[in-house]
Amino acid sequence: MAYRPEPAFAHDRARKVGVLIVNLGTPDAPTPAAVRRYLGEFLTDPRVVEIPSFAWRPLLHGVVLRTRPAKSAARYASIWSKDGSPLAVHTNKQKVLLSGYVGQRMKAQGLDPEGVVVEQAMRYGEPAIGPAIERLRAASCEQILVVPLYPQYAASTTGSVVDAVAAHLTSMRRVPALRIVDTFHDDPGYIAGCAAAINDHWMRHGRADHLVLSFHGLPRRSLARGDPYHCYCHASARLIARELGLEPVQWTLAFQSRFGRSRWLEPYTANVLAKLGAQRLRRVDVFAPGFVADCLETLEELAIEGKRTYQAAGGGDYDVIACLNEHPRWIAALADLVFANLGGWLAAAPDRAAREATKLRAKALGATS
C-alpha cells in the first residue's frame, strides 16, 4: 500500500509528546444538509448501530436520512450560539485551557513547557481525528496520548474513537507510540469536578428538592453483550452523590436519548421527570455527568424537552445544571488525568533533548577548532 508522506525529519529537532482530546462531534451548521452529512457519518458507524449493513442501509438512506435531518436541524438551531455549535466551542476552549495547564505544570517540574502539544478532534464531523494526528506528527510528536472525552467507556463511544485512530495509523509509515485513556468514570478529579459544578449551582440558587443524574442511553442489549457502560454510570452516580453528601432518596439515576423501538437502559429520564413532576416538587435539578461539554442532549433535550415533560406532569421549577465545560476543577482534573497517563514519556523527553544539544555543541566546537 502507499503510505501518506511523512513530516520532514531533522535530527536536531526535539521530539515532543502529543495529547489528543476527542469528543463526539457536531454538524457544521444547524441546517438539514449539514445535519444529514453528520448523521450519515454517525449512523453508518457499526459501533453505533449494531444492525447488519444489508438490513440497516436501506432504512437509513430510505427513511432516516430523509426525515430526521430537518427535525434535528430545528433542534440544533434552538441551541446554536453566535460562535457556532456549543459542543465545538466548549471543546476548543477545553483544548486551549488544558494546553495552558499542562505548560504551566511542565515548567513547574523543570521540563520544557512546550514539550507537550495538545490537539482536539471530533469522532464525527470536523475537526477529524486523522488530520489532528497529522498535526501532532508535524509538530514532532512521536508519542501520542488519546483522551476520548467520554467518562464512562462504551463500545459505541470510546471504542469507536479507538477504531478511528487505528484506521488512520494504517496509513502511516512511522507509527507513533500510542496510549489511550479508556475510562475515567471513577477518577477522583472528575468526580470532584462534577460535584463542584453542582455545588456552584446550588450556591447561587439553593439546593433543589431532588437531583436527577442523567446519562446518555444505550440499547439494553449492550449490557447483555458485556459493555461496562451501565455499571460505570452507576458507579459515577454513586460517587458524585457521595461527594455531595446526598441520601439515596435525594437523587435518581436515569438514561436519556432513547432511539427506536427496542428496549434501552432504564429508567428513562423522561419517565423519571414525569414521575417527579406528579409529586409536585418545588424544584428539580438535572445534571448530565456523561457529557463534559454542553451539547444538543443537554441544552435542548434536557433543558427544553425535559422541562416540558416535568412541568406538564405538575412539577414546579426546573433547572439543568451546566456541564463541566471550562470549570477550573474539571480542567485541573483533565490535566491530572493527562499527566497520570504520560508516565515515563515526560521523564525521557528532556534527556533526549539534552543529548541532542550536547551533540550540536560538540559539532559546533569541532567546526571552530
Side-chain angles (χ1 to χ4, degrees):
M1 65 175 293
Y3 296 105
R4 65 177 58 250
E6 287 290 311
F9 184 81
H11 290 279
D12 60 345
R13 192 174 184 182
R15 287 173 283 183
K16 300 179 181 181
V17 173
V19 175
L20 178 62
I21 61 172
V22 184
N23 215 319
L24 182 72
T26 174
D28 297 325
T31 64
V35 172
R36 186 176 295 108
R37 288 193 299 271
Y38 172 73
L39 290 179
E41 183 181 4
F42 176 57
L43 295 176
T44 52
D45 185 344
R47 290 277 195 178
V48 174
V49 180
E50 296 186 61
I51 300 174
S53 179
F54 72 87
W56 171 239
R57 289 293 180 120
L59 179 61
L60 173 64
H61 293 284
V63 179
V64 177
L65 292 182
R66 290 178 182 271
T67 60
R68 195 171 181 188
K71 297 177 182 178
S72 294
R75 297 175 63 204
Y76 275 108
S78 71
I79 59 99
W80 213 259
S81 75
K82 62 180 179 61
D83 297 317
S85 163
L87 178 65
V89 171
H90 288 302
T91 304
N92 187 63
K93 289 181 179 179
Q94 289 172 349
K95 181 200 78 169
V96 172
L97 291 170
L98 176 62
S99 182
Y101 269 62
V102 169
Q104 292 174 5
R105 194 169 300 184
M106 293 279 286
K107 186 175 182 180
Q109 294 178 7
L111 303 173
D112 179 5
E114 298 180 357
V116 174
V117 181
V118 180
E119 276 287 351
Q120 62 108 348
M122 297 294 182
R123 175 59 186 90
Y124 312 103
E126 300 293 337
I129 287 175
I133 292 175
E134 290 305 310
R135 289 194 295 274
L136 291 174
R137 291 284 288 115
S140 298
C141 297
E142 297 182 5
Q143 300 156 313
I144 297 176
L145 172 67
V146 181
V147 187
L149 294 176
Y150 312 111
Q152 297 78 26
Y153 174 94
S156 57
T157 53
T158 304
S160 182
V161 169
V162 176
D163 289 347
V165 171
H168 185 75
L169 295 187
T170 63
S171 70
M172 300 172 65
R173 181 176 297 278
R174 171 64 170 94
V175 176
L178 189 69
R179 292 177 183 172
I180 299 173
V181 176
D182 69 321
T183 186
F184 53 95
H185 67 281
D186 57 354
D187 177 76
Y190 158 71
I191 297 298
C194 290
I198 296 169
N199 268 323
D200 285 353
H201 184 85
W202 286 349
M203 287 291 290
R204 295 191 299 270
H205 305 285
R207 180 172 291 198
D209 296 330
H210 200 84
L211 175 68
V212 177
L213 297 175
S214 182
F215 295 83
H216 197 285
L218 288 180
R220 176 76 184 184
R221 64 178 177 271
S222 66
L223 174 59
R225 292 175 177 177
D227 200 305
Y229 178 76
H230 178 264
C231 299
Y232 286 172
C233 290
H234 277 269
S236 296
R238 287 195 300 269
L239 290 169
I240 293 169
R242 186 173 70 183
E243 187 82 7
L244 292 169
L246 298 179
E247 298 295 330
V249 296
Q250 295 176 295
W251 65 278
T252 301
L253 177 150
F255 294 94
Q256 63 186 86
S257 306
R258 179 186 178 190
F259 176 71
R261 298 180 179 180
S262 63
R263 184 183 176 191
W264 281 44
L265 298 178
E266 298 176 86
Y268 302 137
T269 298
N271 293 352
V272 168
L273 293 176
K275 182 179 179 180
L276 292 171
Q279 296 175 16
R280 301 291 199 273
L281 297 181
R282 177 185 58 86
R283 194 182 96 213
V284 162
D285 284 349
V286 181
F287 181 72
F291 299 93
V292 301
D294 274 309
C295 54
L296 183 71
E297 287 81 1
T298 62
L299 298 173
E300 197 276 338
E301 184 180 357
L302 287 180
I304 298 175
E305 294 182 17
K307 181 177 183 177
R308 187 182 301 123
T309 298
Y310 171 71
Q311 294 186 336
D317 292 335
Y318 176 92
D319 284 346
V320 173
I321 300 171
C323 286
L324 292 169
N325 295 331
E326 297 83 54
H327 196 289
R329 291 291 293 273
W330 159 237
I331 302 299
L334 186 55
D336 288 341
L337 188 67
V338 165
F339 275 90
N341 284 275
L342 290 181
W345 283 0
L346 297 181
D351 295 335
R352 289 198 299 267
R355 288 196 296 271
E356 293 295 334
T358 299
K359 291 179 182 178
L360 289 173
R361 285 197 296 271
K363 185 177 180 179
L365 288 172
T368 56
S369 60

